[in-house]
Amino acid sequence: MSNAIITGASRGLGLAVARVLAEQGWRLVLDARGGADLERAARELGRVTEVVAVPGDVADAAHRRALVSAAGTRIDLIINNASTLGASPLPPLADYPLDALERVYRVNVLGPLGLIQAARPHLSANATIVNISSDAAVEGYPGWGGYGSSKAALDQLTATLGGENPNLRVYAVDPGDMRTRMHQDAFPGEDISDRPEPHTVVPVLLDLLRGDQPSGRYRLQGVAA
């Protein structure tokens, strides 16, 4: 049975991917900060496959070690999906509270890298790592400087890790705009019902996981059916 760690798995894209992997027989270790939502997701997926729910914060090194311990001795896939938007409404970068920005970097950059470092001794040959990125990593959208710069850093980490570990597939994946709570937080009070549901990009992401594409940055928007 293949073994995956998915962070931010209680809702949105993380849960959508977990549902499909569960149907395909993966054993799943799931993370989220919200314990109640995570338990609800684990109960649902536990009817399909073996699931371990580990509530906590990816910025916490002890929590990352707990995720790796729950995964066991062989890890085939890590999906670093957990992220924080940061201050909301999104402030101009010149006014961004630095303590809030530090928190964004701890969750969006150091959390994924720390999890990869902790899991490294247990990664299987040809294991896959997916770091969920954003178009804000490459575009200078006003107000998105905190979140976007953290995703740009994550992209750079991904590219470097891919170059340093040719036996692994290390992907930065930009899923495009989606109808998620984070996206709603970025546009408080606005109607975001025109954005696609997270599950619509999952088939494209799974094609990437099943394929033999080299490490690098991939954009799913416009590819999803």
Side-chain angles (χ1 to χ4, degrees):
M1 179 179 283
S2 299
N3 206 13
I5 298 175
I6 306 175
T7 67
S10 64
R11 61 176 187 258
L13 180 60
L15 179 55
V17 175
R19 282 173 171 151
V20 177
L21 292 181
E23 292 170 357
Q24 295 179 354
W26 285 70
R27 179 181 182 271
L28 302 175
V29 176
L30 306 181
D31 146 279
R33 287 191 293 270
D37 287 343
L38 183 62
E39 284 301 323
R40 189 178 305 111
R43 283 196 300 272
E44 172 195 332
L45 300 175
R47 293 191 286 268
V48 181
T49 191
E50 182 178 347
V51 177
V52 180
V54 185
D57 187 338
V58 295
D60 178 4
H63 174 62
R64 296 193 296 264
R65 290 194 295 270
L67 288 170
V68 171
S69 177
T73 57
R74 196 201 76 220
I75 300 170
D76 303 290
L77 171 65
I78 297 174
I79 299 181
N80 279 311
N81 174 65
S83 295
T84 184
L85 180 67
S88 176
L90 296 170
L93 194 55
D95 298 328
Y96 211 105
L98 293 185
D99 56 344
L101 185 59
E102 180 180 2
R103 167 68 181 163
V104 170
Y105 274 71
R106 288 179 61 82
V107 172
N108 296 358
V109 183
L110 300 181
L113 179 60
L115 181 57
I116 293 166
Q117 290 177 341
R120 188 180 180 195
H122 308 289
L123 293 175
S124 62
N126 303 315
T128 301
I129 296 167
V130 176
N131 296 322
I132 299 300
S133 184
S134 167
D135 60 344
V138 295
E139 299 287 347
Y141 301 127
W144 287 82
Y147 179 82
S149 63
S150 74
K151 291 298 184 179
L154 184 62
D155 281 2
Q156 181 64 16
L157 292 180
T158 302
T160 303
L161 286 167
E164 292 175 344
N165 299 275
N167 59 312
L168 303 176
R169 293 186 299 156
V170 189
Y171 299 132
V173 172
D174 171 11
D177 288 349
M178 295 181 295
R179 199 182 317 168
T180 63
R181 186 179 299 180
M182 178 182 288
H183 203 82
Q184 185 67 76
D185 290 342
F187 300 99
E190 294 188 23
D191 180 7
I192 64 166
S193 61
D194 60 330
R195 275 69 164 183
E197 295 276 9
H199 68 82
T200 61
V201 303
V202 172
V204 183
L205 176 57
L206 294 182
D207 284 346
L208 182 64
L209 299 182
R210 288 190 293 260
D212 57 0
Q213 294 289 339
S215 295
R217 190 180 196 278
Y218 293 85
R219 192 169 187 228
L220 304 184
Q221 191 175 50
V223 181

